[in-house]
Amino acid sequence: MLVTIGDWNFHIPQNKQKEVILIYIETHMHISLDGMDGAAFRKEIKSSKNKAEELIRKNVRVYKERGIIAIRDGGDPINLCAITRRIAKEEGIIYKTPIHAIYKRGHYGSYIGKVIDDIRDFKAVFSEMEKDQPDFIKIPLSGMMNFDTYGEVGDLAFNEEELDYMVKFAQDKGLPTMVHVNSREGVQRAIKAGVDTIEHGYYMTDEELYALKESKTIWVPTLTPLGNICFSGDERHKEQIKTIKRIFDEQSRNVKKAYKIGVKLAIGSDGGAYKVYHGQGFLDELKYMNEAGIELEELKRIGYENGKKALGIS
């Protein structure tokens, strides 16, 4: 049996052909990006209060239209938390935000947050953010993937002592931690620190997958940014497509293996990132995880259960 959701068809095995009720939670998106040109989109948002209202409401509504009841923002540097919270509440959507990500100078993160040099800076930046009541703390631990060179993600931004401090600080404040990280070393460091969710987690091996299984950490694998580049005829990355497809296929295999061994998975598309359109990106993520080897009914279950945990929804 095929179930159609948005633009996608999902195969339901014969023994699972019961009514599929879909209640979705998007665990990774960026309200300040649009899937095409983030800088231009942010400039438009900042052009006037009316334009910000229009664009943010439009993005929130596309989630609502697809049955997505809750969204978790990965951070932005332009202070959209207040207006987005208000609009989401008016639209009947749960919206969780870190206000800004907190990143280390000289490392990835300027596109999503506020910079720090050391732990003293961390406390000062958090103190300022605390006035806006963050729902969690977002920490970029590694860089983004280099599509020219397989395996390259840059140096880790925070050493063990720094990351441990920030995670413990968040716990003492009653806040979860959402950590952007790729690479074996980075994932191992994040698991050891006890972070609540790992975002992306590319280049893992069985060692990291089994460590995740034994931890309380939820993994949000974000297949969609690479998948949509691979399968859209994208021109921007045509010279890098072989490497991107290799990384995507490896991540898909890890998703299947993670599910089989009992890693806690949640569904997050990185909505707003290049080629990842709000709302539709979530359905793309469902499709890619389904094709990786997880049945739709199971995706619905783990996406809802672990999505609630990731967002702190009781």
Side-chain angles (χ1 to χ4, degrees):
M1 183 178 96
L2 289 177
V3 172
T4 300
I5 307 170
D7 295 332
W8 295 112
N9 292 318
F10 293 85
H11 176 70
I12 307 297
Q14 189 170 359
N15 64 340
K16 299 286 187 180
Q17 290 182 11
K18 56 186 178 179
E19 183 180 4
V20 180
I21 302 172
L22 299 161
I23 301 173
Y24 296 137
I25 297 174
E26 166 66 275
T27 64
H28 192 133
M29 49 75 71
H30 297 272
I31 201 67
S32 68
L33 302 174
D34 68 343
M36 294 180 288
D37 185 334
F41 184 70
R42 287 174 172 175
K43 184 177 181 180
E44 193 174 8
I45 282 180
K46 292 190 290 184
S47 66
S48 72
K49 290 183 179 180
N50 287 342
K51 181 56 68 172
E53 176 87 18
E54 172 193 338
L55 294 175
I56 293 171
R57 191 174 295 277
K58 177 182 176 182
N59 282 344
V60 169
R61 281 180 172 170
V62 297
Y63 288 103
K64 181 179 180 180
E65 290 164 1
R66 288 160 175 78
I68 298 164
I69 64 167
I71 54 179
R72 183 175 63 150
D73 202 315
D76 79 80
I78 58 173
N79 300 304
L80 298 182
C81 56
I83 185 173
T84 308
R85 276 175 168 160
R86 174 180 58 77
I87 290 172
K89 184 176 181 180
E90 290 169 359
E91 295 292 338
I93 296 293
I94 297 168
Y95 174 71
K96 300 287 186 173
T97 174
I99 314 303
H100 313 290
I102 299 177
Y103 74 97
K104 189 78 167 284
R105 189 179 305 278
H107 295 266
Y108 166 74
S110 62
Y111 211 54
I112 56 174
K114 299 292 186 182
V115 66
I116 65 170
D117 289 306
D118 51 31
I119 291 301
R120 183 169 59 182
D121 281 351
F122 168 77
K123 290 188 285 188
V125 168
F126 179 82
S127 178
E128 186 64 28
M129 284 173 25
E130 195 169 22
K131 300 171 186 176
D132 292 316
Q133 300 180 321
D135 298 302
F136 56 93
I137 293 178
K138 169 73 179 288
I139 304 168
L141 178 56
S142 76
M144 298 176 71
M145 290 171 288
N146 181 345
F147 293 153
D148 290 319
T149 306
Y150 173 85
E152 185 176 311
V153 298
D155 296 332
L156 297 183
F158 298 103
N159 62 35
E160 287 187 23
E161 182 180 355
E162 290 170 329
L163 184 61
D164 288 349
Y165 179 89
M166 290 188 288
V167 172
K168 179 63 164 55
F169 181 93
Q171 291 170 345
D172 290 345
K173 294 284 186 178
L175 297 174
T177 43
M178 175 188 194
V179 174
H180 164 118
V181 61
N182 298 299
S183 80
R184 293 189 62 195
E185 181 185 1
V187 169
Q188 289 172 6
R189 187 170 298 179
I191 294 170
K192 184 178 178 183
V195 307
D196 291 276
T197 69
I198 282 176
E199 315 299 309
H200 316 303
Y202 280 82
Y203 299 125
M204 284 195 284
T205 67
D206 285 358
E207 182 179 351
E208 290 75 52
L209 291 175
Y210 278 96
L212 270 175
K213 175 184 181 294
E214 298 303 320
S215 75
K216 295 181 179 180
T217 301
I218 295 169
W219 180 30
V220 182
T222 61
L223 289 166
T224 301
L226 274 64
N228 283 1
I229 290 173
C230 289
F231 304 116
S232 68
D234 178 64
E235 286 293 314
R236 179 189 294 186
H237 296 290
K238 64 181 180 179
E239 300 299 324
Q240 305 157 309
I241 199 68
K242 185 175 180 180
T243 299
I244 295 170
K245 184 63 163 55
R246 177 186 177 186
I247 299 168
F248 173 81
D249 288 344
E250 180 182 279
Q251 187 81 333
S252 296
R253 289 191 295 270
N254 276 345
V255 166
K256 181 178 182 179
K257 186 176 296 183
Y259 169 69
K260 285 189 171 182
I261 67 174
V263 171
K264 292 164 283 295
L265 291 160
I267 303 169
S269 70
D270 211 355
Y274 181 63
K275 290 287 184 181
V276 186
Y277 303 106
H278 289 291
Q280 179 59 42
F282 182 89
L283 301 184
D284 295 342
E285 188 74 15
L286 276 180
K287 176 69 172 177
Y288 294 133
M289 293 180 79
N290 180 238
E291 290 179 340
I294 308 176
E295 294 176 0
L296 180 59
E297 187 73 2
E298 272 296 279
L299 281 172
K300 172 218 166 181
R301 181 186 66 80
I302 64 176
Y304 181 67
E305 292 178 359
N306 293 332
K308 286 203 306 179
K309 292 175 184 176
L311 270 69
I313 302 171
S314 57

